[in-house]
Amino acid sequence: MNGARERRAVAVHGIVQGVGFRPFIFTLARRFGLVGYVRNAGDGVTIEVEGDAAVLDHFLAAIRDEAPALALIEEITWMPTPTRAEEAFRIDLSQDGAPRQTLISPDVATCPACLAEMLDPCNRRYRYPFTNCTNCGPRFTITRGIPYDRCTTTMAGFPLCTACQREYTDPADRRFHAQPNACPICGPQVALLDCAGQTVALMPGVDAIATAARWLREGAIVAIKGLGGYHIACNPFIVDAVRTLRARKGRQAKPFALMAQNLTQAQALCHISAAEERILTSPARPIVVLDQRADNGIADEVAPRQTTLGVMLAYTPLHHLLLRDAGMPLVMTSGNQTDEPIAYRDEEALAQLGAIVDYFIVHNRPIHMRCDDSVTRFVLNAEYPSRRSRGYAPRPLTVTEPFTQHVLACGGELKSTFALARDHHVFMSHHIGDLENYATLRSYREGIRHFSELFAIEPALVAYDLHPEYLSTKYAHELEEDGLTAIGIQHHHAHIASCLADNQRPTSEMVIGIALDGTGYGLDGAIWGGEVFTGSLNMGFTRRAHLAYIPMPGGAAAIREPWRMAMAHMLATFGLEATLRHSLPLVKHIDERQIRVLDGMIAQQINSPLSSSAGRLFDAVAALADLPGTRQITYEGQAAIELEIAAGGTSDQPYPFDLRAEGPLWILETREIIMGVVADLAAGGSAGRVAARFHATLAAMVAATCQRIRAETGINVVAVSGGALQNRLLLEQLASTLGDQGFTLYRHQRVPTNDGGLALGQAVLAATMARRGAFQPRAVD
């Protein structure tokens, strides 16, 4: 073409750093015969390109059409600029002093090309556990700042050797400007330590990874430094190894995750659908909850009484080598002490894990930001995450209405995450953990600082949960004292808002919101958790119905000891003397004096807060059925999980239930449900049938409530959220029932339905409340 010659200054925004984008542009420009340059900028990638006008149009179209698989292009803009006398296209150094508003890629699983090189005895990177290229490897966890260049990552301390430098500067090489590029000569190295942190002497010709793999096969417990922190591994086929790990870690019953070398190995463990395979093999490589095979040989202690397993595929070169040398899948659980965040600094790992493991596989590439594994599953024809972390964070979520000021949403307490928001982006943090101690709070504060610096966000508005004792709430009030505007968001309002933002719904759309979980601070001071609202993101939410209030004798003790909730329901339904005479195993196993004390506490309103929690209702039914873990749980949500397991994925006739009008509210009465459960058990009914009937009842009762509200309001759309909806059986039955009744259902797809997704809802609600000046009052102290 010989048309008019032009030069254009092009700005590309999105995830365009650390994903091979500049080499892609370089190659594309050469293909089209254009001159100019490309460079990283603080807000994305800047291109100046010159040539025939029509060719430039084709070049710009090709940027979108042919972008690297890991890139996420959000916007391409350009403006004319004077032509220059240039003869070639080049990659320039990154631009200094530019606005710092770029997006950072999540960490990416090892690509097939790097894996093939690492397993090729003739390749210079044979068995090198830090092999990577522009298509794979660490990103977020090694990034100290932006623009994304080697000097702003934890690879800055590893100067490139001649061979790696040649790859780095060769536009035809897939390691062209790959910032973590390394090899055995110039890159990080692995070492094997004993539990005291002393280097283990290796046999000639046998490396640290092969040695550790042999010891794992024999039953040892090994800590492994990965991308975002330490894992603890053991042989899942040796019962004693798994039991020893549980005893040392103080993790009695919560399932362990497994890591498989490849898809074939995973398929020997679990049934895997095509959709589940796509998630399992995606670049994010999350833990995927799968239905396990009965004949997989895994020790029962890996996931006690569970019909599912959490499985992930190897996602770093080190993992690939270890799993290959071991010749089997391995337990791969987070390297932390109970209730603390995953260890990621070497010194803290040695201090925290030395009493748990026999050996450590360590390396000298620093981790800048800890990041635990993501957990997800496939439910109702879509992904359904329960933890959004490695492989997903810090990829931003796009919302329908832009933020007019920078927002920090502080999240909740359990499964804590935070969110920072600007423009159309919400940057949800990686998984922090339960925000209940100093170590987790420190990790939380470090994460907020890092995200603020990476994404150039200076919050003017802070959103927080109304619970006055949450550490996240207290942190928000610290910021309020420093002059920031703070807005309290009711817990379940945030859940529904999170679901709507997750589904990118218009802010004006009116919905019926269903929030089912364990604990949320209510506007009336009670503990909410079985809630039905109407409203929108623009106008907020109004409570329209809730589960009937029931006392929680002992307060937080009733969460740890589900039998207390069973007794509270029995006492409310039958009275003290009838309860004591009952023949249920639970009643016989609880000392009569304890039951009388509980009755007295409830009668005198001593440490017995009222609760409408669906989670506590699950606890009560599980305890009545005398399921494992209901005397005292060993992990959050255990009783409800045991009830779902007991139901066996089956449906049954619901128990009778009653919806009672109380002023403008509908009360979802539980008395008849408890009577039905007790009658079934007294007649010799199995715990499985009781569990199945209870799930059917809760789904039917919520759907009936939605019908009543639709009749009153005309709203035909339902949004569901809350930790109780991690229960696949309940979600599927609720979706089926609502679908049969003609409702449109929104459920989570991008962020967790549990409190890990809470900050998204807080952010969007706080922004809309600030726009209309409707600030929520601070919770009562």
Side-chain angles (χ1 to χ4, degrees), residues 469-690:
E469 294 305 315
Y470 283 180
L471 293 180
S472 57
T473 299
K474 293 179 178 181
Y475 175 72
H477 290 322
E478 289 178 22
L479 298 179
E480 184 180 23
E481 291 171 0
D482 291 338
L484 275 65
T485 299
I487 299 181
I489 305 294
Q490 200 281 323
H491 189 89
H492 302 98
H493 294 184
H495 268 305
I496 303 307
S498 176
C499 181
L500 294 175
D502 188 343
N503 286 273
Q504 297 181 285
R505 302 310 305 164
T507 57
S508 59
E509 183 173 18
M510 293 291 292
V511 301
I512 300 170
I514 308 296
L516 304 177
D517 66 1
T519 302
Y521 197 89
L523 295 178
D524 58 1
I527 298 172
W528 291 6
E531 311 304 315
V532 185
F533 305 95
T534 56
S536 69
L537 293 176
N538 270 346
M539 299 307 298
F541 299 97
T542 300
R543 196 185 198 196
R544 300 299 299 264
H546 63 84
L547 283 171
Y549 283 136
I550 196 80
M552 289 177 57
I559 300 173
R560 298 188 297 271
E561 300 173 359
W563 67 268
R564 291 173 178 260
M565 291 309 303
M567 287 296 103
H569 276 280
M570 288 282 287
L571 291 167
T573 303
F574 302 108
L576 175 61
E577 298 307 323
T579 297
L580 291 173
R581 290 194 301 270
H582 218 287
S583 60
L584 286 183
L586 175 67
V587 176
K588 299 303 180 186
H589 292 155
I590 304 298
D591 189 283
E592 179 180 327
R593 288 171 296 181
Q594 288 183 286
I595 299 175
R596 290 188 180 277
V597 167
L598 258 61
D599 184 62
M601 291 172 65
I602 292 169
Q604 298 177 53
Q605 300 179 17
I606 299 172
N607 193 20
S608 298
L610 295 177
S611 173
S612 59
S613 164
R616 302 293 76 80
L617 181 59
F618 267 94
D619 287 353
V621 175
L624 288 171
D626 206 26
L627 293 175
T630 54
R631 301 299 161 79
Q632 181 154 356
I633 62 170
T634 60
Y635 64 92
E636 192 250 338
Q638 182 181 3
I641 290 169
E642 293 286 356
L643 195 65
E644 182 184 6
I645 294 169
T650 61
S651 184
D652 207 325
Q653 284 294 108
Y655 291 112
F657 60 85
D658 182 39
L659 303 180
R660 174 174 56 85
E662 188 176 279
L665 291 172
W666 288 100
I667 307 301
L668 285 65
E669 292 286 0
T670 56
R671 179 184 173 87
E672 288 190 69
I673 300 173
I674 297 299
M675 291 175 67
V677 167
V678 170
D680 260 0
L681 293 169
S686 69
R689 181 157 194 259
V690 166

Side-chain angles (χ1 to χ4, degrees), residues 446-469:
E446 288 171 353
I448 291 173
R449 280 195 298 272
H450 189 52
F451 270 61
S452 298
E453 292 168 2
L454 277 186
F455 304 118
I457 294 177
E458 298 180 7
L461 184 64
V462 181
Y464 63 90
D465 191 277
L466 291 179
H467 197 299
E469 294 305 315

